Amino acid sequence: MRTFAAYFVLALLAFGALAWVSTMMDKRKVDEFYGFAETDESEINFNYPVEIQEILVQPGDEVKTGQKLLIVKRARSKDQLADQGFRIDELRAESTLTKGKIAANLAELEVDYTRRLAALQAKRSELRSEASYREQLLKAVLEDGAGNSQSYSPVQEQLNNIDRQVQELERSYEQRRSALQQEQQLSGKPLDVEMSRLRAEREFDAAQEEVIYEITAPSDGVIGSINAKISEHKSSFAPLINFYEPNPSQVKGYIHEDRILEAKVGDKIKITSLTSPETNKVGTITGLGSRIVEIPSRLRRMVDFKTYGREVLISIPTDNPFLQKEKVVLTFVDKES
C-alpha cells in the first residue's frame, strides 16, 4: 500500500512538472527580447574636389533644414595645360592661310582672264584692220568695174567667232570669281564657330577655378562626425559629415533561434527603455530576416556566449525619447500576460 502511495505521489509530481513545463513554454511565447533604437544616417559629400574653408558646426549639434554646415572652395578639376589660347591662335592662322590661298586663286584667275581677254582683243583689232583693208581694196575694185560684190566675208566670220570667245571668257570668269568669293566668305565660318567654342570653354574653366560653395543641411537632424579640417583638400565624393535624424525611426531586434516566438509583419511591439522602464512606445514589425544571424553581444543574456537568432525590423513614431543605438526591451503587445 505504501508502495502504491509512493507511485501515486510520483505520478502527481510528474504531472505537475509537465504542467509547469507547459506553462513555461506558453510564457516563452510572450517572452521579451532586445533590440537597438536606430536612426537613418547619411553621408554628406560633394561631387567635386574641394578645399575646406570654414566648418560652421560641431559633432552633436542639432541643425535645421538649409542651415550652413561647411563652406568649401572647389579645386580645379583638370590637372592639364589649358591650351584653348594656343588652339585659337592655330585656328586663326589656319583661317588666314585659307583666305590667303583663295585670294591667291582669285588673283591668278584675274591675271589669266586679263591675259586671255587682251589676246582676243589684240586678235580682234588685227582682224578689224584686215577687214578694213579688204573693204577698201574691194571698194577700189568695184569702182573700176572689175568685179562684183560678195555677201560672204571670212574675216567678219572670224570677228564674230572672237566676240563669242570673249563672251564665253567673261561668263566663265564671272562664275569662277563668284565661286571663289563665296568660298572665301564661308571658309572662316567653321573656324569662327570653333574659336567661339574654345573662348567659351576658356572662360568657363577660368570661372570654375575657384568657386565657393555652401554645404547645407538636407533636413532637420544631428551632426555626427565631421571628417574634414580647415584648409584640407578632399577628393570628390569623399565623406565630409555624417548626418542623422534627431530621433530614431526604427528598432532592430533579434529573436533567439531556440525560442518559439512567432512574429509576422504587422505585429504590434511595445518598445521599453532599459534605463527608464516608464518610457515606452508601440511600434509595428515591418520586416523579418530571412536567415539566422549572430546576435550582437549587447543583446545577449550572456555576453560571453555566442547566440544566434532572427532579425526583426520595427518602425516606431519619430516623436520618441529614445537615443540612437539605445538598447530597448521588446514585447508583443497582443501577447502580453
Side-chain angles (χ1 to χ4, degrees), residues 163-179:
D163 289 340
R164 287 193 293 272
Q165 291 183 42
V166 169
Q167 291 176 357
E168 178 64 23
L169 177 64
E170 290 177 347
R171 185 188 65 79
S172 176
Y173 165 73
E174 290 297 334
Q175 285 183 344
R176 292 186 61 189
R177 188 181 66 158
S178 177

Side-chain angles (χ1 to χ4, degrees), residues 124-193:
R124 189 178 187 213
S125 297
E126 182 181 347
L127 288 173
R128 281 195 175 278
S129 297
E130 183 178 351
S132 177
Y133 170 75
R134 289 193 177 192
E135 286 177 0
Q136 292 178 2
L137 183 60
L138 180 59
K139 184 177 180 181
V141 171
L142 291 175
E143 288 176 354
D144 293 340
N148 297 320
S149 172
Q150 296 181 1
S151 59
Y152 175 74
S153 173
V155 175
Q156 186 61 44
E157 181 65 23
Q158 291 180 11
L159 285 172
N160 293 338
N161 185 43
I162 288 176
D163 289 340
R164 287 193 293 272
Q165 291 183 42
V166 169
Q167 291 176 357
E168 178 64 23
L169 177 64
E170 290 177 347
R171 185 188 65 79
S172 176
Y173 165 73
E174 290 297 334
Q175 285 183 344
R176 292 186 61 189
R177 188 181 66 158
S178 177
L180 286 171
Q181 287 176 342
Q182 187 174 9
E183 182 182 355
Q184 190 177 41
Q185 292 175 356
L186 298 178
S187 63
K189 296 293 183 182
L191 299 177
D192 290 342
V193 171

Side-chain angles (χ1 to χ4, degrees), residues 49-296:
V50 293
E51 179 185 344
I52 308 301
Q53 299 291 295
E54 291 185 54
I55 300 175
L56 305 176
V57 291
Q58 297 294 328
D61 286 353
E62 294 186 3
V63 296
K64 299 295 184 182
T65 303
Q67 182 175 335
K68 296 178 186 178
L69 308 179
L70 297 174
I71 295 178
V72 300
K73 180 174 71 175
R74 177 179 166 181
R76 185 173 178 82
S77 58
K78 295 192 298 183
D79 296 328
Q80 60 185 32
L81 178 65
D83 63 344
Q84 293 93 339
F86 299 109
R87 291 167 64 189
I88 289 172
D89 291 340
E90 289 176 356
L91 291 172
R92 188 179 289 115
E94 183 179 347
S95 177
T96 302
L97 181 61
T98 301
K99 290 180 180 180
K101 288 181 178 179
I102 297 174
N105 291 336
L106 278 170
E108 183 179 352
L109 176 65
E110 185 74 26
V111 170
D112 182 67
Y113 167 72
T114 303
R115 179 181 58 78
R116 293 174 63 183
L117 181 62
L120 288 173
Q121 289 175 343
K123 189 172 182 180
R124 189 178 187 213
S125 297
E126 182 181 347
L127 288 173
R128 281 195 175 278
S129 297
E130 183 178 351
S132 177
Y133 170 75
R134 289 193 177 192
E135 286 177 0
Q136 292 178 2
L137 183 60
L138 180 59
K139 184 177 180 181
V141 171
L142 291 175
E143 288 176 354
D144 293 340
N148 297 320
S149 172
Q150 296 181 1
S151 59
Y152 175 74
S153 173
V155 175
Q156 186 61 44
E157 181 65 23
Q158 291 180 11
L159 285 172
N160 293 338
N161 185 43
I162 288 176
D163 289 340
R164 287 193 293 272
Q165 291 183 42
V166 169
Q167 291 176 357
E168 178 64 23
L169 177 64
E170 290 177 347
R171 185 188 65 79
S172 176
Y173 165 73
E174 290 297 334
Q175 285 183 344
R176 292 186 61 189
R177 188 181 66 158
S178 177
L180 286 171
Q181 287 176 342
Q182 187 174 9
E183 182 182 355
Q184 190 177 41
Q185 292 175 356
L186 298 178
S187 63
K189 296 293 183 182
L191 299 177
D192 290 342
V193 171
E194 180 64 14
M195 283 190 286
S196 298
R197 186 190 68 79
L198 289 170
R199 291 190 189 99
E201 182 180 327
R202 181 175 60 186
E203 292 172 2
F204 176 80
D205 286 347
Q208 295 298 312
E209 282 185 356
E210 291 188 1
V211 182
I212 303 299
Y213 291 96
E214 295 176 349
I215 297 179
T216 59
S219 61
D220 293 352
V222 179
I223 302 299
S225 60
I226 298 176
N227 307 311
K229 298 178 181 178
I230 298 294
S231 300
E232 183 180 6
H233 287 79
K234 306 292 286 188
S235 60
S236 55
F237 300 105
L240 302 176
I241 291 178
N242 288 335
F243 177 86
Y244 56 89
E245 295 179 349
N247 298 101
S249 58
Q250 71 173 8
V251 171
K252 182 184 292 184
Y254 295 86
I255 299 176
H256 195 279
E257 62 177 342
D258 290 338
R259 295 182 181 177
I260 58 174
L261 284 170
E262 294 181 358
K264 61 181 182 295
V265 174
D267 282 351
K268 298 296 183 180
I269 300 293
K270 180 180 179 182
I271 300 102
T272 305
S273 172
L274 273 178
T275 58
S276 179
E278 68 277 4
T279 301
N280 57 72
K281 284 286 183 178
V282 175
T284 305
I285 294 180
T286 57
L288 296 169
S290 59
R291 60 179 180 169
I292 300 298
V293 297
E294 182 180 340
I295 298 176

